[in-house]
Amino acid sequence: MDSGPLPVHLAVRQCINTLSTSRDITEVTEALRTAGRYLSGTEDDPPACQREEFARAHYTKLLQFLISNLNAHWLELLTPEQHMDLWVSLFLNGPPDQVLLVLLDCVNSCSMSSGLERGLDVLEYFLQRGRLSALLWATCQGPPPANSPQLRDTLLSRLVALPDLLANRLQEHTRPAFQPLHYYPLLARELSVALERTCQALRDGVDCSLCFVAQLLGKACVQGHGKEMFGVLVPRLSALTQSDFVWKRVCWQLVESVPDRWMEGVVSGLVQTVDGSAALSRLLGNVVLKNKKAQFVITNKLLLLQYKYKTPMLQSLLGYLAQDSGRRPLLIQVLKALCGTWSSCSSVKHSPIEQQLYISKALLICLGLLRDSEVLEHREELLQCMLSGMQCHLDSSIPRVHHLGKVVGESLSARLDPGGTRLQFQYELDTETKELLSLLSPPPAHQQPPETLPPDSRTEPAPKSPSSEREEGKAGVPAARPIKQHSSDSELDSDDELTPYDMTRDGELGGALAPRYIRDCLEALTSSEDPGKVEVSLGAAEGLIKKNPAATREVSVELVKVLLHLEDRFNTQGFLRLRQRAMVSLTVTDTLAVTGYLTTEFYSLNYSLRQRLDILEVLALAAQDLSQPTSANSAPSKHKPPPLIQPVSTETAPDLQGTAQHWRRVVDQRIESKTRRFGKGAPRTGSSAAPSRFAPVAGCFFFPLLRNYDRPQVTFDLLGSDHLVLGRLVHTLGVLMYFAVNAPVATQMGKALLDFVWAIRYHTDPVVRQGVLFAVSAVLLSVPNERMFSELSDEMLEARAWLGGE
């Protein structure tokens, strides 16, 4: 039987099984090479039909497996070259849409750990290596598939909202490459590359579709990122469309393919960014005639409803309408609308002066763009507008509106009747007036500066990946400083001129690195067989718990379970102390969950006496930490802020008090100077009060330990032979009682503790009897006197008789 190549699904399953179970690095690298062959196109690789089947049906499954095993042990065994050539290449050589979706799902599902850092490294490589342009170009090839609208919508939303998704997950740990100021210019550059490949394909006679790219541009503009996108796209497209008709058609089709719900963002973004009406005409084409939404935005919203734009933008927008004969009717329509608004008395009274100035500028620019024949054709309407508008402006009591009516009315009169008599007013010729008068003569097209193609930023060297920086940090070897070049050969041969390396920061190679995330620490303590890694993980556990309480609460119960069952297999120095401090920190950080677990496990089966004693010690130490005031409250501030309401002193208000306060202050100073004191004593600073963190949770520590003390277990008999644990339990209950002083639940705790110790006050073991005395003392110290004599009177009488030997 011929031993041909395995089918694709069997080969993929074999690779996954090998990566899941094998610990041989040779087998792992061979499995990664086998999977990588389905993504390349060399002669020795599988045929094209198998590669297509792999990309269509099995590639996502393989990526999901790799992402779910970001903490696999074999990843640490790969060399940097193998890591790039075998593992990272699986993400960079496959279908980019699948890779992007899987990587973003990984970021949303993984918690802060080294595995998440590896996933972010791959995502950063994905962005830096031009995979976004490959993704966009793949969507431009041919018509969009009709069977995957949901997938395209998901891909579109993930592409546009990638910085928001990562920022919501990573918070302050978001890398610069994923921030909006870096990502959206990169997305615009990749989009321009996809458009360039589209132009080349059209020249070769291949059909392309710009629907997805237009939707991407529109959604990015609607979400407020049009400035970053067009800041990169407009200079390049303006230069390319000057002499290339294919580029013009591509730009026109790109704008016309934008859905109506996003058309306003694209049109307004282009109008604000493009410099000059000629460039705007080359980029927009006749979209104002083909799309009703674009026509409303250009002829109404940007001119009549909004007034935040500068004068050059108005000249570009109205010049765009005047550029083509088919668009000139819209210019006449805009002129009539502006005349109606400018001559409306209601608009003059109720509109802000800034909007009236904006409309006046647009009106004068339109008049300057009209031909003489068009002026004669609409002279009567314009004359009526001038008369009614001047009347409204001159009747206004606002000087600026009055001045604006004079300037615009004089300009209208000069344009409507250039050879006859025209209106003349006396007004101050300020900067605003000069600008208004200059708008009647638009700049000729030949005076606009020629546009040059901006340098392609893709040719710049890519920034160094954070993973490579961390690898250099791990090695601990500083970069070699450049050696000064000498002119003579004799100086080069001299050993005295050799510059030594700076080895002050060198560290010992081969040592295990401390984990940076609590999940990595948990994984190392659970499954690692490396003694050094276990030791550094145990040593770093307490600091990681206190550093990130939110991440600790996600794994607190699981981690305390691992620590409780952890054995000193490698003879770690200070093992018991490190383990105990980590468990105490966990209890303080996530008190309710960890305390509930520990108090439940204290009476469970299959625990040694050592583990039960550890539980009691951890609970007592955690109660002590919680009962202490926090550092912010324990140290009183030496520099207190001044009060918000300051008392009026005699220096600040001398006129209010007069000379009476002055002579009184002089007398007080003389008495103070002649008074003899033998000692004042040190000033006392009272300690600042702070609420006890232990008081609200004291019952969670105390009452579960009294729940099952009288139920003997197979391996644990508290009231029988296990005297040591009983004595320690009574002592721990006394400690909890002592730290619950002034707590609302202290009275109930004292009553329950006296009922418990009353049954064992005559125990044969002196350790237990000593614990009973300590518990009774803790009750006397913690329960308020008034509550003790009102609610614990019977117990106090019995305790008095027992202590007195009666």
Side-chain angles (χ1 to χ4, degrees):
M1 184 175 181
D2 296 333
S3 59
L6 292 175
V8 179
H9 67 282
L10 294 180
V12 174
R13 184 183 304 174
Q14 184 176 352
C15 291
I16 293 177
N17 292 337
T18 302
L19 296 175
S20 302
T21 59
S22 178
R23 292 183 175 272
D24 187 1
I25 189 60
T26 304
E27 296 180 356
V28 169
T29 54
E30 185 60 32
L32 293 175
R33 286 194 182 93
T34 302
R37 292 191 184 100
Y38 287 99
L39 299 176
S40 57
T42 58
E43 297 180 356
D44 299 335
D45 294 331
C49 59
Q50 292 189 3
R51 296 200 301 271
E52 293 177 359
E53 178 185 354
F54 174 79
R56 184 184 68 256
H58 305 288
Y59 184 57
T60 299
K61 180 181 178 181
L62 177 63
L63 290 181
Q64 291 173 346
F65 168 77
L66 294 176
I67 288 298
S68 62
N69 290 269
L70 288 172
N71 293 319
H73 68 282
W74 48 266
L75 279 174
E76 300 179 358
L77 303 178
L78 296 176
T79 63
E81 292 78 10
Q82 291 176 336
H83 184 269
M84 286 296 302
D85 298 339
L86 300 180
W87 192 75
V88 178
S89 62
L90 291 176
F91 294 89
L92 300 182
N93 296 332
D97 53 346
Q98 302 181 38
V99 176
L100 181 65
L101 293 177
V102 170
L103 288 176
L104 291 180
D105 289 340
C106 160
V107 174
N108 291 330
S109 59
C110 293
S111 60
M112 298 300 294
S113 62
S114 59
L116 179 60
E117 292 288 340
R118 291 193 181 98
L120 294 175
D121 288 342
V122 176
L123 181 58
E124 195 165 352
Y125 279 124
F126 182 88
L127 299 179
Q128 292 176 356
R129 300 299 177 89
R131 298 304 293 165
L132 281 181
S133 62
L135 189 155
L136 297 177
W137 165 239
T139 61
C140 295
Q141 300 180 39
N147 57 351
S148 59
Q150 185 176 2
L151 177 62
R152 291 173 67 87
D153 291 342
T154 303
L155 185 61
L156 178 66
S157 60
R158 297 290 177 86
L159 274 173
V160 175
L162 186 143
D164 297 333
L165 295 174
L166 295 181
N168 290 337
R169 186 66 186 88
L170 302 177
Q171 302 293 329
E172 67 274 7
H173 302 291
T174 305
R175 300 184 181 183
F178 304 142
Q179 294 178 359
L181 292 179
H182 293 80
Y183 174 74
Y184 290 105
L186 172 66
L187 182 62
R189 289 192 294 270
E190 302 296 337
L191 192 148
S192 66
V193 173
L195 293 179
E196 186 176 354
R197 299 179 69 175
T198 301
C199 291
Q200 185 60 41
L202 292 176
R203 293 188 182 96
D204 296 338
V206 180
D207 293 337
C208 296
S209 172
L210 295 177
C211 293
F212 184 84
V213 177
Q215 293 175 4
L216 176 67
L217 180 62
K219 192 164 187 177
C221 292
V222 165
Q223 293 188 3
H225 308 294
K227 183 178 180 181
E228 292 84 359
M229 297 285 290
F230 287 125
V232 176
L233 281 175
V234 165
R236 184 172 180 82
L237 296 181
S238 299
L240 290 171
T241 53
Q242 280 186 326
S243 58
D244 195 331
F245 185 74
V246 176
W247 268 105
K248 290 183 182 180
R249 293 295 304 271
V250 168
C251 292
W252 297 348
Q253 187 65 33
L254 176 66
V255 178
E256 293 172 5
S257 300
V258 175
D260 287 346
R261 62 184 183 275
W262 299 328
M263 180 63 72
E264 180 182 349
V266 175
V267 171
S268 60
L270 274 173
V271 170
Q272 294 179 63
T273 310
V274 175
D275 185 15
S277 57
L280 187 62
S281 180
R282 295 197 304 269
L283 296 183
L284 287 180
N286 285 327
V287 67
V288 70
L289 301 176
K290 299 179 180 180
N291 190 284
K292 294 297 182 182
K293 182 69 174 181
Q295 181 177 337
F296 171 76
V297 171
I298 291 176
T299 61
N300 287 274
K301 197 163 189 178
L302 296 180
L303 296 174
L304 301 175
L305 302 180
Q306 298 177 354
Y307 53 92
K308 61 181 179 180
Y309 305 109
K310 304 296 182 182
T311 304
M313 194 281 290
L314 281 175
Q315 292 176 326
S316 298
L317 180 61
L318 296 172
Y320 160 74
L321 295 178
Q323 282 276 331
D324 188 78
S325 58
R327 299 192 292 265
R328 291 196 70 87
L330 293 178
L331 180 66
I332 304 298
Q333 177 183 334
V334 168
L335 176 63
K336 293 180 179 180
L338 291 171
C339 287
T341 304
W342 187 79
S343 61
S344 173
C345 294
S346 176
S347 175
V348 173
K349 289 181 181 179
H350 303 294
S351 298
I353 185 61
E354 291 80 8
Q355 186 174 10
Q356 296 185 43
L357 177 63
Y358 183 83
I359 292 176
S360 300
K361 291 180 180 179
L363 178 60
L364 294 178
I365 293 173
C366 282
L367 284 175
L369 293 172
L370 288 182
R371 301 189 181 104
D372 293 339
S373 59
E374 294 171 338
V375 173
L376 292 177
E377 181 181 356
H378 302 281
R379 185 176 183 276
E380 295 298 330
E381 298 179 15
L382 295 176
L383 185 60
Q384 183 64 32
C385 164
M386 180 189 70
L387 296 177
S388 59
M390 284 185 58
Q391 183 67 33
C392 296
H393 282 78
L394 294 178
D395 290 342
S396 175
S397 60
I398 302 176
R400 194 175 178 188
V401 176
H402 195 86
H403 179 77
L404 191 62
K406 292 179 181 180
V407 176
V408 177
E410 183 177 318
S411 302
L412 283 171
S413 174
R415 187 71 177 90
L416 294 177
D417 193 5
T421 59
R422 54 185 181 181
L423 297 176
Q424 289 185 350
F425 297 96
Q426 293 182 356
Y427 46 78
E428 183 181 356
L429 198 63
D430 54 5
T431 305
E432 183 179 297
T433 305
K434 293 179 180 179
E435 182 184 8
L436 288 172
L437 294 175
S438 65
L439 295 178
L440 280 176
S441 56
H446 62 82
Q447 289 185 4
Q448 296 181 358
E451 298 169 356
T452 58
L453 186 65
D456 191 359
S457 58
R458 292 178 57 86
T459 59
E460 298 178 1
K464 186 181 291 186
S465 173
S467 60
S468 61
E469 295 178 0
R470 286 197 297 271
E471 291 296 332
E472 294 177 1
K474 292 178 183 178
V477 180
R481 291 177 292 182
I483 300 176
K484 183 179 179 181
Q485 295 184 358
H486 302 279
S487 57
S488 61
D489 297 337
S490 60
E491 292 181 352
L492 288 175
D493 294 337
S494 174
D495 294 338
D496 296 337
E497 297 297 330
L498 296 178
T499 305
Y501 283 97
D502 183 10
M503 303 180 66
T504 57
R505 298 182 181 179
D506 282 8
E508 183 180 354
L509 298 178
L513 295 176
R516 296 189 298 166
Y517 302 100
I518 192 64
R519 285 189 178 271
D520 295 342
C521 179
L522 174 61
E523 183 177 358
L525 296 176
T526 305
S527 58
S528 179
E529 298 295 333
D530 185 5
K533 191 171 185 179
V534 172
E535 182 177 358
V536 298
S537 299
L538 186 60
E542 182 182 1
L544 293 175
I545 292 169
K546 295 179 179 179
K547 181 181 179 181
N548 195 345
T552 302
R553 293 187 184 96
E554 298 177 1
V555 296
S556 58
V557 176
E558 185 179 357
L559 181 56
V560 78
K561 181 179 180 180
V562 171
L563 291 172
L564 185 60
H565 293 82
L566 189 64
E567 298 179 356
D568 190 8
R569 296 178 297 165
F570 308 112
N571 194 20
T572 304
Q573 185 178 2
F575 173 81
L576 295 178
R577 178 182 58 82
L578 294 175
R579 184 180 68 129
Q580 184 185 78
R581 290 309 305 167
M583 294 174 68
V584 171
S585 300
L586 276 173
T587 310
V588 173
T589 302
D590 194 7
T591 305
L592 295 179
V594 177
T595 303
Y597 173 79
L598 292 177
T599 53
T600 302
E601 296 301 309
F602 179 74
Y603 289 107
S604 298
L605 297 175
N606 301 324
Y607 276 94
S608 64
L609 297 182
R610 178 68 261 176
Q611 289 174 315
R612 300 182 198 274
L613 294 176
D614 290 341
I615 291 175
L616 295 177
E617 291 178 0
V618 169
L619 291 176
L621 292 174
Q624 181 180 6
D625 285 356
L626 290 172
S627 64
Q628 300 296 327
T630 58
S631 58
N633 295 328
S634 60
S637 176
K638 296 183 180 180
H639 304 282
K640 295 184 179 180
L644 297 179
I645 301 178
Q646 303 261 353
V648 180
S649 63
T650 57
E651 288 82 356
T652 58
D655 297 336
L656 297 179
Q657 303 297 331
T659 59
Q661 292 292 335
H662 176 67
W663 70 260
R664 185 179 298 276
R665 184 169 60 253
V666 173
V667 171
D668 291 340
Q669 290 177 356
R670 290 179 179 177
I671 294 175
E672 181 69 22
S673 62
K674 295 180 179 298
T675 302
R676 184 178 181 184
R677 291 184 175 87
F678 296 98
K680 293 183 178 180
R684 298 182 180 180
T685 57
S687 59
S688 58
S692 173
R693 295 176 295 162
F694 181 65
V697 296
C700 301
F701 281 75
F702 185 83
F703 292 110
L705 292 178
L706 293 174
R707 186 167 45 199
N708 297 322
Y709 69 90
D710 56 346
R711 296 181 184 178
Q713 304 289 344
V714 177
T715 59
F716 182 47
D717 186 7
L718 192 62
L719 298 180
S721 57
D722 296 326
H723 301 164
L724 179 61
V725 182
L726 178 61
R728 185 61 63 86
L729 173 62
V730 175
H731 187 271
T732 302
L733 292 173
V735 170
L736 298 177
M737 185 73 233
Y738 176 75
F739 289 133
V741 60
N742 297 325
V745 76
T747 304
Q748 291 83 352
M749 291 173 59
K751 187 176 180 63
L753 183 56
L754 290 177
D755 291 341
F756 170 61
V757 301
W758 198 249
I760 57 174
R761 66 186 185 277
Y762 296 116
H763 201 280
T764 57
D765 194 334
V767 175
V768 178
R769 296 198 301 271
Q770 186 178 3
V772 171
L773 289 173
F774 177 77
V776 173
S777 302
V779 173
L780 295 175
L781 292 173
S782 301
V783 179
N785 294 334
E786 61 274 9
R787 305 297 296 274
M788 186 181 303
F789 291 109
S790 62
E791 299 185 19
L792 304 179
S793 57
D794 296 338
E795 287 81 357
M796 289 295 101
L797 291 176
E798 292 181 2
R800 178 181 179 182
W802 172 60
L803 293 173
E806 299 178 2

